[in-house]
Amino acid sequence: MNRKGVLHGIGVGPGDPELLTLKAVRLLKAAPVVAFFVARGKKGNAFGIVEAHLEAQQERMPLVYPVTTEALEPPLSYEAIIADFYDGAAEMVSRHLDAGRDVAVICEGDPFFYGSYMYLHDRLAARYEAQVVPGVCSMLGGTAVLGVPLVYRNQSLAVLSGVLPEDELRRRLADADAAVIMKLGRNFEKVRRVLGELGLAHRAHYVERATMSNQRIVPLDEVDPMASPYFSLLVVPGVKWQS
Ligand SMILES: C[S@@+](CC[C@H](N)C(=O)[O-])C[C@H]1O[C@@H](n2cnc3c(N)ncnc32)[C@H](O)[C@@H]1O
């Protein structure tokens, strides 16, 4: 029987190409097919990080999102469209795996930390060998460039999505020793309001495109909520532990 290909979910880190792991580079160079999720008309952030390591003969397989953040008129639903898209992407990847070709699916940050790779993994890992290479996640890239220690001693960390409803965000932040808030973009103003209400604004640090060449660190009250990009996050570090 023909050998099936191996599915690799490869974390490529938050942006700085030097944050690729040795293992990621080795597997990328060896993969006959390199797949990556990308918005229509874009080159792909993850692809840009690894491009210099690829050879011409390696097949590039862009998996182009049919929708991103645009509002959809009923009966169109984001969930239904995106589920169909992941089904189709898994089918495209599986054709290579069935033919014995390994596929490296590259993913910004870490594949299992809010990564789109997860939706392929969920669909394919029961049928094919799947290996995941962890990557430096944006949260840790962010704290590194901000220069803020994140959690001291016995503190617990809450990783929150800015998409959460305002009450829920307030409740979870009020309970947290330390927090990282992801997926800001259009949610930024709501998040800033909640931090202000809880008296946490002075402890919060904002970073855009952490570790990328166009990274920006901006005081919270100077962030333009209309211009806060997708690649941004907020860090509320734990209270400093004096040892
Ligand atoms: C779909 S999640 C992907 C997370 C990624 N898998 C990781 O490990 O960091 C996208 C969110 O990650 C955060 N993000 C990703 N890269 C970032 C960066 N370089 N700087 C700041 N935030 C980033 C943003 O909050 C963004 O909304």
Side-chain angles (χ1 to χ4, degrees):
M1 211 170 77
N2 284 349
R3 167 198 174 270
K4 290 194 174 176
V6 177
L7 174 66
H8 294 281
I10 299 191
V12 301
D16 179 351
E18 289 194 40
L19 293 175
L20 274 167
T21 63
L22 297 174
K23 186 164 189 173
V25 172
R26 176 174 63 78
L27 290 172
L28 268 171
K29 283 176 175 289
V33 182
V34 177
F36 52 100
F37 289 97
V38 62
R40 201 177 299 136
K42 296 278 169 63
K43 173 178 168 179
N45 202 44
F47 184 72
I49 295 171
V50 305
E51 196 174 11
H53 297 283
L54 302 181
E55 301 291 341
Q57 75 277 6
Q58 290 179 278
E59 180 170 338
R60 280 87 166 142
M61 188 161 82
L63 303 168
V64 183
Y65 292 112
V67 283
T68 43
T69 53
E70 60 265 36
L72 297 171
E73 295 289 325
L76 294 177
S77 107
Y78 176 83
E79 280 68 27
I81 293 174
I82 209 78
D84 283 352
F85 164 64
Y86 287 131
D87 286 346
E91 175 60 32
M92 284 166 67
V93 169
S94 73
R95 275 187 227 132
H96 284 293
L97 298 173
D98 285 336
R101 286 187 288 277
D102 295 350
V103 179
V105 182
I106 54 175
C107 186
E108 287 139 8
D110 181 88
F112 278 171
F113 187 68
Y114 297 114
S116 294
Y117 166 75
M118 296 188 297
Y119 305 106
L120 293 181
H121 190 93
D122 287 347
R123 285 165 170 78
L124 298 173
R127 282 193 280 148
Y128 304 94
E129 184 183 346
Q131 295 178 0
V132 171
V133 179
V136 177
C137 66
S138 55
M139 168 174 83
L140 299 180
T143 52
V145 300
L146 286 164
V148 292
L150 186 56
V151 266
Y152 290 86
R153 252 175 97 91
N154 300 328
Q155 293 168 348
S156 299
L157 171 69
V159 179
L160 304 174
S161 165
V163 177
L164 283 173
E166 195 157 338
D167 285 351
E168 182 70 5
L169 193 61
R170 192 179 298 107
R171 187 181 68 71
R172 293 186 187 222
L173 268 173
D175 276 353
D177 295 326
V180 172
I181 309 164
M182 321 266 301
K183 305 195 178 191
L184 294 174
R186 280 191 254 155
N187 302 297
F188 179 80
E189 192 60 84
K190 170 183 68 184
V191 175
R192 179 163 61 183
R193 191 166 52 242
V194 171
L195 287 167
E197 286 166 9
L198 294 172
L200 290 173
H202 68 288
R203 273 177 54 198
H205 303 260
Y206 171 86
V207 60
E208 288 176 10
R209 305 184 184 92
T211 83
M212 298 180 194
S213 55
N214 53 354
Q215 155 189 310
R216 281 177 80 226
I217 295 171
V218 188
L220 212 57
D221 56 0
E222 289 176 25
V223 178
D224 174 358
M226 302 308 287
S228 171
Y230 175 73
F231 289 114
S232 61
L233 52 79
L234 272 159
V235 178
V236 183
V239 172
K240 193 172 189 168
W241 174 269
Q242 301 286 1
S243 63

